[in-house]
Amino acid sequence: MMIRWKHRGGDIIFLMFTTLAAVSTASEHEHRTHMCSAEGNICSENAATVCRNNTCVSACSLRGMQECECDAEEDNYCYLCCGNSEHQCMAAHHHNILRPNGERWEREACSRCRMHGAELEGLPCDDTDSARLCIGGRCSNSVCHTKSPGSVCDRKMEKLCVDNTCENPCARYAPHLMVCDCPSIDQDTGFASEDRCQLCCYDFNLKPTNRRCQNAYRKYKIMDMFQKPIWRVGLECAGGKVCNKYGVCSSSHISFLVPFFSVILVSLISFI
């Protein structure tokens, strides 16, 4: 709608020209920009947009970021994820991007798991997706439900199962750090490596000849949710041994011999 004003002898004459094109253009513009009036209020919960200067914008843009996909599946499902060329894509609250009331941009199902994880552990957390369960305080649909901690969980062999999440835990410290298997034999001592059963990382930015697989806990302080080293359960060690859930190389057949030794011990005690 276009309004044109003219002055003739003190009389105000206005001519109103209405065109379908103008109305259509205005309507499209309003649809694209999603106009709003309550500054700082949430425009859309699902779209994670807030009102800024009478326009609905992504909450990420408040800190100069864009929406993106988090590395961890649970984070991508549960939270608004933000990042840019200078900041790693992470859940918005890690960038201090919060709702106007100070709460996280988080699905309600995920919030329940996080706040009442002990009560809901192993139970469905999303009415629309029965495959999602509360695991370790997260509403998870991870492939790691059926895998051992520290086992590889992606086709590129770059991610591991950590706290029931398929991720590259080395990237927590820096995005250029990659997962690797520490050698079975320590190249400095020539003996079995103590690092074999723990998470190890290497620096991708270094030349291949200079890359060294190093203990992630000792070198970068990368830990699991219990503040402990990340174990590589099931990884093969030297001498045919396998990494157990305690982060130690042990013979895989020892568990089968325990009952045998128990019987012998009981017999000896009764004989004495």
Side-chain angles (χ1 to χ4, degrees):
M1 180 178 294
M2 180 174 64
I3 300 177
R4 184 175 297 168
W5 296 86
K6 288 187 178 181
H7 295 271
R8 287 184 181 175
D11 294 328
I12 299 177
I13 302 175
F14 67 92
L15 302 176
M16 184 178 295
F17 301 95
T18 304
T19 63
L20 181 61
V23 173
S24 176
T25 301
S27 177
E28 289 176 3
H29 176 73
E30 184 175 351
H31 176 72
R32 283 197 307 270
T33 56
H34 299 286
M35 305 302 291
C36 59
S37 58
E39 184 73 10
N41 281 10
I42 295 176
C43 294
S44 170
E45 292 277 355
N46 293 332
T49 55
V50 294
C51 188
R52 177 58 59 91
N53 297 326
N54 298 322
T55 303
C56 291
V57 298
S58 168
C60 294
S61 68
L62 299 182
R63 289 191 176 273
M65 301 183 194
Q66 298 84 38
E67 292 186 35
C68 53
E69 289 193 9
C70 284
D71 186 52
E73 192 275 339
E74 285 86 356
D75 283 348
N76 205 47
Y77 172 78
C78 287
Y79 303 116
L80 166 67
C81 293
C82 306
N84 57 22
S85 58
E86 298 179 355
H87 298 85
Q88 182 181 350
C89 183
M90 302 173 68
H93 56 270
H94 291 307
H95 296 301
N96 201 30
I97 299 174
L98 304 169
R99 296 173 185 264
N101 63 1
E103 295 180 354
R104 301 179 181 186
W105 287 98
E106 179 181 26
R107 286 179 186 258
E108 184 179 352
C110 301
S111 177
R112 287 197 300 269
C113 281
R114 180 170 57 83
M115 299 177 68
H116 307 287
E119 304 170 20
L120 302 175
E121 183 72 16
L123 297 178
C125 53
D126 190 341
D127 294 336
T128 62
D129 187 353
S130 59
R132 288 192 176 275
L133 307 175
C134 279
I135 304 292
R138 296 188 177 193
C139 187
S140 176
N141 188 29
S142 175
V143 295
C144 294
H145 289 162
T146 57
K147 292 182 177 290
S148 300
S151 58
V152 176
C153 55
D154 72 323
R155 292 184 179 181
K156 293 183 178 181
M157 310 288 284
E158 296 176 348
K159 298 180 180 180
L160 304 178
C161 287
V162 182
D163 300 327
N164 285 305
T165 300
C166 185
E167 62 166 316
N168 171 11
C170 297
R172 297 178 188 174
Y173 185 86
H176 57 270
L177 292 182
M178 306 296 289
V179 170
C180 58
D181 297 343
C182 269
S184 301
I185 303 298
D186 191 315
Q187 60 183 7
D188 295 326
T189 65
F191 295 102
S193 173
E194 296 180 355
D195 297 333
R196 179 62 174 175
C197 294
Q198 292 191 33
L199 169 68
C200 292
C201 309
Y202 73 88
D203 191 336
F204 182 79
N205 286 345
L206 297 178
K207 294 181 179 179
T209 54
N210 295 331
R211 293 173 184 170
R212 185 173 181 181
C213 208
Q214 295 179 291
N215 185 297
Y217 180 78
R218 191 161 53 246
K219 177 72 174 179
Y220 305 110
K221 300 300 180 184
I222 300 175
M223 302 171 280
D224 64 10
M225 63 189 299
F226 301 107
Q227 306 299 304
K228 295 181 179 180
I230 296 173
W231 309 130
R232 299 294 308 278
V233 179
L235 195 65
E236 294 183 0
C237 302
K241 296 182 179 181
V242 177
C243 294
N244 62 22
K245 63 180 180 180
Y246 304 107
V248 178
C249 288
S250 63
S251 299
S252 58
H253 59 274
I254 285 181
S255 58
F256 296 101
L257 296 177
V258 170
F260 175 73
F261 287 122
S262 298
V263 171
I264 294 178
L265 181 61
V266 171
S267 299
L268 289 174
I269 293 175
S270 59
F271 179 76
I272 294 173

